[in-house]
Amino acid sequence: MNDQQLLRYSRHLLLDEIGVEAQERLLASTALVVGAGGLGSPAAMYLASAGVGRILLADGDTVDLTNLQRQILHEDATVGLPKVESGRRALARVNPEVDVVPLPERLAGDALARAVARADVVLDCCDNFATRHAVNRACVRARVPLVSGAAIRFDGQLAVFDPRLPGSPCYHCLFPEDHAVEEVRCATLGVFAPLTGIVGTMQAAEALKIAGGFASPMVGRLLLIDARTMRIDSIALARDARCAVCGTPTAAAQTMG
Ligand SMILES: [Zn+2]
């Protein structure tokens, strides 16, 4: 680290849990943020300010006036721009040292697999189950840790899955794909603005711990946040031995194709 970096990251360097070594790991790390919306905005902001070296920012949408109530990467002046371009500009203002790679698409298939393979940690900040499951499959296959967040109405969720660890569940263990799940999206339902900030910021915290290799990422637990009362519950998650994605290799291979 040069003198400017020693100053910029000094409040991390003062922490026993982080220090120079973990900060250098952060500077050398790559994070994939899937979705530059309500969750991806604060998540990417903190990854950038905290010194994650490269941020792959994926989103196929353009900035809309209805986004600005909570998607703090974007602003009035960037309405109409691709979210990844609006996000790239915002992150460059926070920390010009960070290499922000815009991926202006809804990641799927090979593009998703390539992006996940480049990452040390993946943050699922998207708003639909199809992408959530595709991201989970790609992370299990590439053995890349996944920090999953969700926020709708006043209800938030956070979970960390680390396929490198034996016994870690995956997103599919928790929400099997074949179960009929109501697709709830903030496009049609409301969402309390700061809730996306709370969950997205927690996602950044978990991703930083994973990429920097410090403290204890909350693998194997699901955090449930009720922003009406600000009650936060934590429940233990078990791996589903019959999970089609992370279960037996044969079953997983069939599902992952
Ligand atoms: Zn699983």
Side-chain angles (χ1 to χ4, degrees):
M1 272 183 275
N2 59 39
D3 288 350
Q4 287 296 307
Q5 290 174 316
L6 291 171
L7 286 173
R8 181 183 285 272
Y9 305 116
S10 58
R11 298 309 189 267
H12 265 178
L13 304 181
L14 289 167
L15 294 171
D16 291 340
E17 289 83 351
I18 302 183
V20 172
E21 280 192 12
Q23 186 64 48
E24 285 185 335
R25 282 195 290 272
L26 289 176
L27 291 168
S29 71
T30 298
L32 167 62
V33 179
V34 181
L39 301 172
S41 286
M45 289 273 210
Y46 274 112
L47 297 180
S49 71
V52 167
R54 177 173 294 130
I55 297 172
L56 313 178
L57 188 63
D59 201 306
D61 289 342
T62 54
V63 180
D64 182 271
L65 187 57
T66 64
N67 301 150
L68 302 186
Q69 166 248 20
R70 65 201 176 282
Q71 301 186 12
I72 59 171
L73 269 181
H74 314 302
E75 57 190 336
D76 224 64
T78 61
V79 168
L81 284 183
K83 284 189 179 178
V84 290
E85 174 57 22
S86 171
R88 188 193 62 75
R89 295 181 190 182
L91 297 175
R93 283 194 293 271
V94 173
N95 188 347
E97 292 188 341
V98 177
D99 178 18
V100 178
V101 180
L103 303 173
E105 58 189 312
R106 189 178 201 174
L107 280 183
D110 287 345
L112 172 60
R114 279 195 303 273
V116 167
R118 292 174 70 184
D120 299 296
V121 61
V122 174
L123 294 83
D124 181 359
C125 301
C126 81
D127 65 353
N128 67 90
F129 284 111
T131 300
R132 287 187 184 283
H133 281 291
V135 169
N136 178 61
R137 279 193 295 274
C139 286
V140 169
R141 181 159 24 181
R143 298 170 70 83
V144 175
L146 170 62
V147 182
S148 178
I152 197 77
R153 302 188 187 99
F154 283 83
D155 300 306
Q157 290 183 355
L158 177 76
V160 179
F161 307 105
D162 191 343
R164 301 170 304 177
L165 304 176
S168 168
C170 81
Y171 183 79
H172 191 278
C173 295
L174 184 57
F175 299 108
E177 207 165 2
D178 47 355
H179 284 212
V181 189
E182 181 196 4
E183 181 82 74
V184 287
R185 300 180 61 179
C186 54
T188 49
L189 292 166
V191 60
F192 183 44
L195 176 65
T196 59
I198 292 166
V199 176
T201 301
M202 285 179 164
Q203 288 184 267
E206 293 302 311
L208 289 170
K209 291 191 289 183
I210 290 167
F214 59 90
S216 305
M218 50 159 275
V219 177
R221 280 191 297 133
L222 173 67
L223 216 61
L224 299 166
I225 301 152
D226 181 348
R228 296 171 194 83
T229 56
M230 212 48 87
R231 184 186 163 112
I232 300 180
D233 290 313
S234 171
I235 59 176
L237 298 178
R239 184 177 198 174
D240 177 2
R242 294 169 304 169
C243 172
V245 175
C246 75
T248 65
T250 48
Q254 281 163 8
T255 298
M256 294 191 293

